[in-house]
Amino acid sequence: MTQLHRPKGLRLGFGTGALNGRGDRAAQVRLIHAALDAGITHFDTARLYGDGTAEQILGDALKGRRSDVFLVSKAGIIPPINTTFRRAVNKGLTIGRKLPGGVGVLPKPRWNEPIFGQFDVAQLRASLEESLSALGTDYLDLFLLHEVDAHHLADGQVLKALEDWRREGLFCSFGIASTREQTDRILDSYPDAFPVVQTSDSVFDAAPRPAGEETTLLMTHSWLGASLERFQRAFNAEPKFAEKASHCVYADIRRPRRLARCLLEYALHSNPGGQVLFTTSRPDRITQMVRTAERPRLTEAQFKALAKVAEQVAKMELAPA
């Protein structure tokens, strides 16, 4: 395994999947500055994010601050290619499908669909260079393969290229950012190949621990959204259960903000030494996340109680949201 380059400071990373060039660009730059001011130094982005605009926004926000941050980007999924020709084709398909018999003959127009599985070595190199240019830097702290699967690595060319590019100085470390199923397959087939593993995590379904934990950095994400919604549906369905659950955890987790704080503490607790990613469009939420990470309140008994409550929620038959 190659040398691992670890982020310093808070174990929180700010995800930029919500940055988008069609929004208020100045407000998004201010959001990144708010994260920096709050003490966040780990920023996670990808060529895909914001239909290809997130890296540019992040790069603008980090001008003059590059040496202060741990910068992560990904390749393997490219943004939608909405050329003039593509827009014309889509418009023609939309009109044609409205004509008699059109639906059965013409395919659906493909609007804003990213292209997955771009793991040819030349494609990866081109994507990496585009990321560096958009971010305004000559290197990444971490380069991740975005939703890669084991079969993409079978001929050994991608792994060789990653090592070559690391020695070239284009990034300090590399790893994977994949679904849980893909991550399991890669860890089974290539247990020592990747110094960094990024995947989803929740109180209901813990992230897989890489085999070489001491030499591997685990980055987790998606610990809040679905879990928060699942808890709230359970509490709405059975108010008495909500009161009992809060008593077990010694905190009123019926309140979404309190529950979110508990889930963040749980995410950090369940990934010792690793990084936990989050995203928000509100600067005040960044401050709240940082305060929680800096001053955790839950005891070991409360972590166990929260896990038990989650087990009960998982067994409940809840109506779809």
Side-chain angles (χ1 to χ4, degrees):
M1 181 179 288
T2 61
Q3 183 178 0
L4 176 59
H5 182 56
R6 284 184 176 271
K8 297 177 181 178
L10 283 172
R11 292 200 296 118
L12 284 181
F14 189 83
T16 63
L19 297 185
N20 195 303
R22 293 190 297 271
D24 184 338
R25 195 182 189 94
Q28 294 177 80
V29 168
R30 288 195 298 271
L31 183 70
I32 299 301
H33 289 167
L36 287 164
D37 292 343
I40 299 288
T41 58
H42 177 174
F43 291 89
D44 180 277
T45 191
R47 194 79 206 95
L48 169 69
Y49 293 167
D51 290 343
T53 62
E55 288 178 322
Q56 182 70 60
I57 296 169
L58 181 59
D60 289 348
L62 295 179
K63 281 180 180 175
R65 304 287 296 272
R66 174 64 185 94
S67 61
D68 300 333
V69 301
F70 185 93
L71 192 54
V72 183
S73 195
K74 313 179 190 74
I77 310 174
I78 62 175
I81 304 173
N82 288 321
T83 62
T84 301
F85 175 75
R86 169 54 60 188
R87 289 194 293 270
V89 168
N90 283 337
K91 187 174 181 180
L93 290 173
T94 300
I95 294 171
R97 285 170 62 85
K98 293 179 180 178
L99 299 175
V103 171
V105 175
L106 298 173
K108 292 182 179 180
R110 298 178 62 181
W111 298 101
N112 296 320
E113 290 189 8
I115 304 171
F116 288 73
Q118 305 299 291
F119 296 107
D120 176 82
V121 169
Q123 291 170 331
L124 285 175
R125 177 70 184 223
S127 184
L128 172 59
E129 290 177 352
E130 287 185 40
S131 292
L132 293 172
S133 176
L135 289 163
T137 184
D138 57 1
Y139 77 100
L140 297 172
D141 292 283
L142 176 61
F143 180 60
L144 301 176
L145 302 182
H146 207 179
E147 296 208 13
V148 66
D149 209 336
H151 68 87
H152 295 124
L153 308 170
D155 65 4
Q157 294 302 306
V158 170
L159 285 169
K160 180 181 182 303
L162 291 173
E163 287 287 3
D164 290 343
W165 298 338
R166 183 187 63 81
R167 284 192 290 268
E168 191 180 334
L170 298 179
F171 45 78
C172 300
S173 292
F174 61 80
I176 59 172
S178 289
T179 66
R180 298 294 295 278
E181 294 78 9
Q182 292 167 332
T183 297
D184 287 339
R185 284 192 289 269
I186 291 171
L187 292 180
D188 285 344
S189 301
Y190 305 92
D192 300 315
F194 295 100
V196 180
V197 174
Q198 184 186 112
T199 193
S200 61
D201 183 28
S202 84
V203 68
F204 297 105
D205 189 19
R209 298 298 307 181
E213 290 186 33
E214 292 184 1
T215 53
T216 305
L217 177 64
L218 178 64
M219 295 180 174
T220 59
H221 60 80
S222 304
W223 50 269
L224 179 59
S227 296
L228 186 62
E229 187 268 339
R230 194 170 181 180
F231 270 107
Q232 289 177 324
R233 282 197 292 132
F235 295 163
N236 291 336
E238 296 190 27
K240 287 186 178 179
F241 170 73
E243 185 176 348
K244 181 181 178 183
S246 292
H247 178 73
C248 289
V249 182
Y250 317 111
D252 189 358
I253 57 175
R254 291 169 295 185
R255 296 166 56 187
R257 186 176 295 184
R258 182 71 60 81
L259 177 58
R261 193 193 75 209
C262 290
L263 291 176
L264 173 57
E265 287 198 42
Y266 192 92
L268 290 163
H269 181 268
S270 63
N271 184 15
Q275 296 289 114
V276 173
L277 305 179
F278 77 98
T279 190
T280 181
S281 60
R282 291 176 48 178
D284 61 313
R285 292 270 173 86
I286 295 175
T287 304
Q288 292 165 11
M289 296 289 185
V290 169
R291 285 175 180 169
T292 297
E294 288 179 330
R295 296 189 291 275
R297 302 180 187 179
L298 297 186
T299 65
E300 189 66 33
Q302 286 173 299
F303 284 120
K304 291 179 180 177
L306 184 59
K308 230 172 220 188
V309 170
E311 284 180 17
Q312 293 174 293
V313 171
K315 294 175 183 176
M316 296 173 68
E317 293 186 10
L318 301 172

